[in-house]
Structures are given as C-alpha cells and as structure tokens.
C-alpha cells in the first residue's frame, strides 16, 4: 500500500536487464563490439521512451531519476534576476532546488493549492512577471494523487513565453503521456515508481530548450548529461515503460481505480475519517488511479502507520521521501489542514499488481487498528500536548 514510495521490479524488467550486467557489459561509448551492443540497447530504450513521452528520440535524456530531473530543470534554466513560479506542494527535489536558487538571486513564487489539492491555473497566471523564465508544476501529487491541470498551465507558459517543467514522477505509467499536448518543455520521470529499477530515470527536453547540463564531463546524451550510461538501468526503465504503456490499454488502470475506490469507501465508513483531495462536497478531484489519502480523527498517524506495519501493511504518513522527519506534510498543510489532522493522515498507494485479497486484508486490519488506537490514544482522551 506504499507504491508511491517505490515499487518492485516486474519479472519482465529483471529479465530484460539481466544480460546487461555480465554478458553485454560494454560501455556504450566504446567502438568495439561490446560497446556497440550496449549502445544499441540504449538506442532501443530511447526509441521506447520517445514513444512513452510522445516525443522524438533525440528529446529523451537518461539520468538517475526524479531528483536529478527536477534539479536539472531548475539549475539548468534559471539565472540570477530570473523569476521562477512553482507550487507549494511540489516534491522536495523542486522545493529545495528553488530555495537554493533563491539564495542565488532568483525570485521564487510558491503558488498554494486550493483546499482540494488542485492548483488553480489562474493563480499561476497571476504569479507571472515579465522576468518569469520557468514554471514548474507536478503532474500528480505524490501524497494525494491529485492530477494538476498541466495542459492549462502549459498554455499559460506558452502565452507568457516561459519554459514549463513538469515533475511527472507520480503520473508516469498512470495516465497517457503526450508532451506536446501537455505543453511542457521539460518533464522528469523515475523508473522505480513504475516497477522499474531505482537510481535511473529520464527527462523529456524539448528540442531547442537551452538547458545547461547539471554535470560536467563527457559528451554523453548529446552533451545534456555527462557520465557513463547505466545500461542495465536504462534497459529496465524502457521495459517498465513498455509494460506501463500496455497497462494503460489493457484495463489495468480501471481495475486499479476500482480497487482503490473500494478500499477508500471501506475506510471512510469509519467514523471520524475523511478524504484529502476532494471538493467541498466530498467528491474526489481528478486523481491517479492508485492513490488515496485519508485523515483519521482522534489518533496519531504515526501510531497507525506502526500498528499497520505490525500487521504487514505498509502505508505512509506524509511523504516517505522525507524519512525521519516528524514535520506534518507540507502538502496537506498547504491544502489548509490543521497540524493534528495533517499528522493523522495516511496515504494508501496501490501497486499495479495489487489484488482484491490485498484490499480485503487492509479493510480487515485498518478498522481494528483504528479502534484500538482510539481506545488508548492521548489525542482521543484530550490529554495530548
Ligand atoms: C513527485 C516526485 N518527484 C520526485 C521524486 C524523486 O524521485 P527519485 O526518487 O527518482 O529521485 C519523487 C519521489 O518520491 C516524487 O514523488
């Protein structure tokens, strides 16, 4: 139930990667046969990723994942004196990079979401200035799953003559991609969120986008990302993307949405619970199929995470990417939840391979854990500090 943190490799992905660890171990830049085999594999992967993004193969840049993509977009395009518009619910890979640029003379505007978790495009429009060079808004939020109106934001960027970066790490493989329709110049994805390997990802970089590379070194990836290519990782990413494209057509996504809806409806039957990522009437706003985020009154979120862990159910309170942090989720706080409710919110995010039996089990253990914790909770008793 924590797929938005990471996912296991699918067997087909392991099989695709296997020859590139030992047999075809060449450096893709070498002229000899070993190098050419590796080079050909990277070329094939690039073709697949171009199909995945809906772009040209030359617009695909392989890298180490979402953090690098987000950083590259921000450090690679912004210069002192520029203005940068982003949202306050971005991943820390965007927010921390923005803070660093602010220290280097870039003005940054953080647009807050509506209580539903949606960024209103008119708020982005209002944030723009003549010096706005870059807009960065995520496709799907990692905590709520809420899908942002990126097409409208892309259109706003186009009209304003600004570049648009989209962190699509949590949207990849969950909704169909088309970079031209989204209107973005840059897009970051990560393999390990879509049943591929960790430490590898890709960026779409629209032709002609003047992005400075983050790393200095060799001329790999058309001089946009130096460093010997992670050939097994790249092959694994492409296989995961190929399987993700199949999943978008074969009924997997509606199946996942139905499982998520059943899980969500079951948990929301408990008194003192509610959905994060819904409009005023409680109707969910557009979300990716695998995610739900629910608040529980009268208990400590962390205690519920631990109680469920003891029952073999892995969930996340706030974002696992900030492991060790006890701060309430910046996303939920930005949506207007109070600290107590933000702390007592849990994210359930289903793997593509989740089953009815998985959901049945979670629906069995969550009510028991909630009831038990409420019975002993200082929050429930009103004695919490
Ligand atoms: C929305 C979003 N962006 C970026 C990242 C970072 O990706 P990576 O783990 O590949 O560095 C994550 C990971 O949780 C994420 O959810």
């Amino acid at each position: 139930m924590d797929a938005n943190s990471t996912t296991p490799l699918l067997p087909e992905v392991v099989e695709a990667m296997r020859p590139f660890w030992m047999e075809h171990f060449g450096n893709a830049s070498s002229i000899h046969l070993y190098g050419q085999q590796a080079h050909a594999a990277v070329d094939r992967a690039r073709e697949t990723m171009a199909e995945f993004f809906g772009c040209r193969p030359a617009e695909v840049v392989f890298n180490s994942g979402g953090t690098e993509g987000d950083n590259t977009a921000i450090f690679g395009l912004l210069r002192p004196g520029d203005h940068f518009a982003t949202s306050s619910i971005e991943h820390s890979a965007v927010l921390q990079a923005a803070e660093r640029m602010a220290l280097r003379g870039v003005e940054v505007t953080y647009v807050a979401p509506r209580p539903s978790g949606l960024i209103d495009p008119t708020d982005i429009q209002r944030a723009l200035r003549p010096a706005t060079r870059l807009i960065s808004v995520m496709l799907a939020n990692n905590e709520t799953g809420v899908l942002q109106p990126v097409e409208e934001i892309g259109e706003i960027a186009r009209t304003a003559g600004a570049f648009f970066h989209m962190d699509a790490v949590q949207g990849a493989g969950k909704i169909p991609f088309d970079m031209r329709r989204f209107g973005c110049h840059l897009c970051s994805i990560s393999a390990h969120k879509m049943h591929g390997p960790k430490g590898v990802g890709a960026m779409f970089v629209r032709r002609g986008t003047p992005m400075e590379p983050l790393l200095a070194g060799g001329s790999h990836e058309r001089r946009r990302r130096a460093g010997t290519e992670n050939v097994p990782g790249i092959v694994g990413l492409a296989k995961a993307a190929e399987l993700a494209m199949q999943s978008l057509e074969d009924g997997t996504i509606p199946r996942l949405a139905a499982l998520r809806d059943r899980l969500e409806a079951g948990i929301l039957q408990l008194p003192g619970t509610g959905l994060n990522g819904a409009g005023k009437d409680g109707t969910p706003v557009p979300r990716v199929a695998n995610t739900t985020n629910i608040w529980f009154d009268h208990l400590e979120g962390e205690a519920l995470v631990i109680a469920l862990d003891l029952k073999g159910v892995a969930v996340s309170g706030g974002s696992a990417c900030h492991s060790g942090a006890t701060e309430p989720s910046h996303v939920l706080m930005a949506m207007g939840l109070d600290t107590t409710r933000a702390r007592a919110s849990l994210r359930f995010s289903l793997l593509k391979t989740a089953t009815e039996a998985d959901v049945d089990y979670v629906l069995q253990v969550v009510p028991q854990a909630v009831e038990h914790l409420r019975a002993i909770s200082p929050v429930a008793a009103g004695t919490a500090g």
Side-chain angles (χ1 to χ4, degrees):
M1 294 288 134
D2 200 19
N4 290 8
S5 290
T6 198
T7 56
L9 272 68
L10 291 169
E12 296 93 324
V13 174
V14 180
E15 284 314 311
M17 293 172 73
R18 198 185 295 280
F20 295 94
W21 296 112
M22 294 176 74
E23 202 183 333
H24 306 310
F25 66 92
N27 183 324
S29 301
S30 300
I31 289 171
H32 50 61
L33 180 64
Y34 293 96
Q36 289 315 300
Q37 283 168 338
H39 192 89
V42 172
D43 276 351
R44 283 195 300 275
R46 200 181 304 285
E47 295 276 345
T48 305
M49 294 316 296
E51 197 191 328
F52 181 79
F53 279 120
C55 72
R56 301 183 183 94
E59 292 173 315
V60 175
V61 179
F62 292 114
N63 64 15
S64 70
T67 300
E68 184 181 330
D70 290 349
N71 275 231
T72 306
I74 292 166
F75 297 139
L77 271 172
L78 291 166
R79 296 292 164 264
D82 288 340
H83 174 249
F84 174 42
T86 186
S87 87
S88 55
I89 58 168
E90 296 299 305
H91 189 266
S92 53
V94 168
L95 295 177
Q96 296 291 319
E99 277 184 31
R100 202 184 281 187
M101 288 318 281
L103 296 175
R104 296 183 191 164
V106 170
E107 281 214 59
V108 186
T109 305
Y110 301 94
V111 173
R114 297 294 157 122
S116 64
L118 274 171
I119 304 291
D120 188 333
T122 59
D123 292 339
I124 297 284
Q125 177 76 60
R126 259 196 294 277
L128 299 189
R129 305 184 192 165
T132 306
R133 180 160 166 87
L134 180 65
I135 300 171
S136 187
V137 174
M138 66 206 323
L139 175 59
N141 183 265
N142 42 309
E143 297 190 34
T144 59
V146 170
L147 283 162
Q148 302 301 337
V150 290
E151 282 178 47
E152 280 137 287
I153 295 169
E155 184 55 30
I156 289 169
R158 196 185 63 76
T159 311
F163 294 104
F164 175 33
H165 168 251
M166 189 174 83
D167 173 341
V169 168
Q170 294 290 350
K174 297 173 188 166
I175 65 163
F177 270 21
D178 180 344
M179 293 299 118
R180 301 265 162 345
R181 181 165 59 78
F182 290 148
C184 63
H185 301 81
L186 300 147
C187 174
S188 305
I189 65 159
S190 181
H192 76 101
K193 307 288 187 181
M194 46 188 241
H195 298 273
K198 293 170 180 58
V200 60
M203 270 185 113
F204 156 73
V205 181
R206 197 194 285 189
R207 191 163 66 177
T209 306
M211 183 191 79
E212 283 247 332
L214 197 62
L215 303 174
S219 57
H220 311 85
E221 298 297 294
R222 296 176 179 241
R223 301 194 173 278
R224 291 166 300 185
R225 204 280 186 173
T228 300
E229 291 89 348
N230 170 3
V231 180
I234 289 168
V235 168
L237 164 66
K239 188 48 135 183
E242 188 187 311
L243 297 170
M245 287 188 280
Q246 284 171 17
S247 296
L248 289 170
E249 309 229 304
D250 68 4
T252 300
I253 300 299
R255 185 189 72 86
L256 209 51
L259 280 179
R260 185 272 315 271
D261 290 348
R262 190 159 75 79
L263 174 74
E264 182 174 277
I267 298 175
L268 289 174
Q269 276 181 8
L270 295 170
T273 59
L275 184 62
N276 295 316
K280 280 198 187 82
D281 62 353
T283 314
V285 294
R287 291 177 298 169
V288 286
N290 80 319
T291 309
T292 180
N293 193 308
I294 294 173
W295 53 260
F296 297 81
D297 275 347
H298 310 306
L299 56 76
E300 290 284 346
E302 221 161 285
L304 186 51
V305 171
I306 293 164
L308 293 177
D309 185 33
L310 292 173
K311 295 283 182 193
V313 178
V315 297
S316 163
S319 171
C321 296
H322 312 279
S323 50
T326 51
E327 290 298 303
S329 147
H330 71 281
V331 174
L332 300 178
M333 294 297 283
M335 286 161 61
L337 272 76
D338 64 32
T339 312
T340 310
R341 201 166 258 186
R343 278 191 205 281
S345 291
L346 254 55
R347 173 185 76 189
F348 298 79
S349 52
L350 279 67
L351 296 170
K352 192 157 94 170
T353 49
T355 63
E356 294 281 349
D358 293 334
V359 170
D360 287 342
Y361 181 66
V362 178
L363 285 176
Q364 184 191 323
V365 297
V366 168
Q368 290 166 2
V370 167
E371 203 174 310
H372 175 69
L373 287 172
R374 282 184 177 159
I376 60 168
S377 162
V379 176
T383 54

